[in-house]
Amino acid sequence: MNIHPALQTPTDIQRELAARAKARRLELNITQAELAERSGVSLGSLRRFESTGEISLRSFLELAFVLGELKEFSALFRPLQTVSLFEEAPRPRLRSRKKAPAKESI
C-alpha cells in the first residue's frame, strides 16, 4: 500500500506491518510453521496476522524478535526533546491518588 504515512489509519499500518513481516519471513526462507515454533506464537495467530494484521502486542514483539526487528521498538514513546535552549524542558506531571476519607468506626 502506498499511502503517505500522515494519511494512514491504524488499520492501514497494521496491514502494512503484516505484509512487511511476511516479506521478511520469506526473505529469511522461514516457513510459517518454523516461525510459529521459534517465536512461541501459535500457527493460527501467525496466519491470521499475515492475512489481516490482527495480533496481540506480545505475539507481535515475539515475531519481531525472531525476524531481527525487535530493536526498532525501543525508539517508540521516548520523552520529548526540548526544542530551544531558551525553553524549559517540560516537567513530568506527578500523579497521586486522593486519599479516601477514613471510615468511622462504630
Side-chain angles (χ1 to χ4, degrees), residues 2 12-13 15 17 24 31 34-36 39 43 48-49 52 56 68-69 74 78 86 89 94 97 99 101-103 105:
N2 257 342
D12 294 332
I13 293 170
R15 289 185 179 140
L17 288 171
R24 176 59 53 89
T31 66
E34 287 176 300
L35 180 56
S39 65
L43 182 56
R48 185 178 67 248
F49 171 60
T52 68
S56 73
E69 295 294 332
S74 65
R78 289 199 175 171
F86 301 105
L94 301 177
R97 288 185 169 199
K99 292 183 181 179
K103 293 184 179 179
S105 55

Side-chain angles (χ1 to χ4, degrees), residues 3-102:
I3 299 174
H4 189 276
L7 301 175
Q8 288 182 319
T9 66
T11 302
D12 294 332
I13 293 170
Q14 266 183 285
R15 289 185 179 140
E16 187 173 326
L17 288 171
R20 287 184 198 172
K22 181 177 180 178
R24 176 59 53 89
R25 176 180 64 77
L26 294 172
E27 288 171 2
L28 296 172
N29 200 27
I30 300 172
T31 66
Q32 284 182 329
E34 287 176 300
L35 180 56
E37 185 177 332
R38 288 186 197 179
S39 65
V41 174
S42 72
L43 182 56
S45 291
L46 176 57
R47 286 181 174 157
R48 185 178 67 248
F49 171 60
E50 287 189 355
S51 65
T52 68
E54 293 287 330
I55 195 165
S56 73
L57 177 59
R58 176 67 183 208
S59 294
F60 184 64
L61 294 174
E62 294 291 349
L63 294 174
F65 176 71
V66 173
L67 296 173
E69 295 294 332
L70 189 61
K71 66 186 180 298
E72 301 299 324
F73 290 94
S74 65
L76 292 174
F77 305 115
R78 289 199 175 171
L80 297 175
Q81 300 297 318
T82 303
V83 179
S84 167
L85 293 174
F86 301 105
E87 292 179 22
E88 282 189 44
R91 293 185 183 154
R93 289 181 59 185
L94 301 177
R95 295 181 180 251
S96 62
R97 288 185 169 199
K98 289 185 178 182
K99 292 183 181 179

